Amino acid sequence: MAEGVARLGTKLPFEQAVADVAFFWGVKLEETTVRRHTQAAGAAYVAEQTAELERLERERPAAPSGPAVQYLSADGAMVPLVGGDWAEVKTLAIGEVEERPGLDGLPAAQTTNLTYFSRLADAETFTRRAYVETYRRGTETANVVCAVQDGAEWLQGLVDVLRADAVRILDFPHAIEHLTAAAQPVLGAATPELKAWLDEQAHTLKHAADGARQVLSAVAKLPVQRAADPTAAGEARDRTMTYFTKRLAQVQYAAFQSAGYPIGSGSTESANKIVVEARLKGSGMHWARAHVDPLVALRTVAVANRWAEAWPRICARLRTQAEQRRRSRWQTRHPTPTPRPTPVEDAPSAAVATAARPSLTPPSPRRGKSIVNGRPTALHPWKRFGYDPRHDAPRDLRFPC
């Protein structure tokens, strides 16, 4: 029941999860109960991943074997918080790249076996925490890692940490967006001239051996003086040229495709939708900041069909936490009594205590003769220990004074 409630709360709004629990199990629960159990399961999984990350950082074990070609990409999606604020949830997508026939029948790179890691965190914190998933997927040991993403600076920093020698590829649709931003002030929005120009540049950029330089030349030749606002059009053109020049090595799409590498980050954009937005951006939803990570952590295993793998670890941690709470409550109700210190004035002195306690050792023998005229004196051992050899029996066991 606990697993079912958490799983439904991960996939559905809590109100709908309540209805499904009642339908499938015949159990009526409050919405707050479903929310509490789901968030507790998510928090347990976050704690599990955090503990595993700390172990990896402490022990530095050898990474598992990775695939021949791995896809790695990250992006962010905004979610609404309580109080009207918005925050960015970052998601890392990791998959395996295979060449399969495309829609035209020709071989094309496709990404399979996708898994995800999501957190509401700044770029530095997210990069550190994402290592737990890249380690599990063998990113360190993969033969080739294709980092396909947009041109954001924090994404380049993430690749620098997780796999510095990755093949960095600018997402092809993002490249077309920048070309559109340069040409639209000159050729107009949604005009046939703009569409024809973009189609030509996209084909050149994607298939020509020197496509990036040809496209840069076409951007430089845009007749910005014919624009309604020549100054703004010139600035847009210059921004696009600077953007492409800085990322020239990342837009060699003809070479990437011939090597069997993907050139689009559609898998990551899809991850933003299915992991984050489909559950956290429903109508009227607003989330406490502390509740975002538990839910997106559960979403990453639910949408990647890894629930059966993750739930035993979640369940074990939940039971451990419940046992710790029980012990804490028991100790609160049954505190260990603290012994009262004995007042100094009531403690007997060492001399008095020694005098009051009878001695168990015989007194030191007095000096003198033990036999006089063949008869034992009081100093003879027989006399001192109360033994009468005539009767072979003990006498009154009193020490001589």
Side-chain angles (χ1 to χ4, degrees), residues 369-392:
K369 295 181 178 182
S370 59
I371 297 178
V372 177
N373 297 326
R375 297 178 65 86
T377 67
L379 300 180
H380 195 279
W382 290 350
K383 302 288 187 178
R384 287 190 297 113
F385 290 97
Y387 183 74
D388 188 347
R390 295 173 296 177
H391 302 288
D392 194 26

Side-chain angles (χ1 to χ4, degrees), residues 196-207:
W197 188 87
L198 288 175
D199 289 344
E200 179 183 357
Q201 305 312 317
H203 185 272
T204 301
L205 188 62
K206 191 173 184 179
H207 299 287

